[in-house]
Amino acid sequence: MKNRISAILITGCLFLSLTACSTTETGTGTTSSQEANTPEITQEELSKITKGKELEEVIKIIGGEGKQQGESGKPGTKAHQVSYVWDGATPNSFVSISFRNNKVSTINAMNMK
């Protein structure tokens, strides 16, 4: 239980730090955000994602790639893990999904409705 709470808190902190840095100035004088290109995940889509699904299946369900949060381990090994975050369709919501060996290992959702 403590590990799950810690994972959720860490994910939340990473999400906040990433969103704070996601806006950049473009040469046209307007503000652009990588976040605007990230598809939003709905509760219905989230319910279709289960442990063991491959990254490509998850991307197909949501309609696009999330923002990569982190990566650990050597690619091609059992220890390789990559985490992505998708913004939720409702304000202040998001889903963080970790993939071990290209398959869903953990799903953390915040404020999804």
Side-chain angles (χ1 to χ4, degrees):
M1 182 72 174
K2 284 185 179 180
N3 287 340
R4 183 171 172 89
I5 292 170
S6 295
I8 290 170
L9 289 173
I10 290 170
T11 301
C13 290
L14 287 171
F15 175 77
L16 291 174
S17 66
L18 286 173
T19 56
C21 299
S22 66
T23 329
T24 58
E25 279 296 312
T26 62
T28 61
T30 60
T31 303
S32 159
S33 174
Q34 183 179 13
E35 193 172 318
N37 295 328
T38 303
E40 294 177 340
I41 185 170
T42 64
Q43 183 63 43
E44 182 181 340
E45 292 167 337
L46 178 59
S47 69
K48 295 177 184 176
I49 300 169
T50 57
K51 287 186 178 183
K53 284 215 185 260
E54 293 192 0
L55 175 59
E56 292 77 22
E57 292 176 276
V58 172
I59 290 171
K60 194 176 212 179
I61 290 168
I62 300 170
E65 292 184 28
K67 293 177 275 187
Q68 186 175 336
Q69 280 190 306
E71 183 174 10
S72 62
K74 184 177 178 181
T77 66
K78 289 183 180 183
H80 186 237
Q81 184 165 321
V82 182
S83 298
Y84 295 90
V85 67
W86 284 266
D87 292 330
T90 57
N92 301 316
S93 63
F94 69 93
V95 175
S96 175
I97 304 175
S98 294
F99 296 84
R100 185 175 295 275
N101 296 321
N102 207 39
K103 294 184 181 182
V104 173
S105 60
T106 61
I107 304 168
N108 293 308
M110 296 294 283
N111 300 322
M112 293 295 293
K113 296 178 184 178

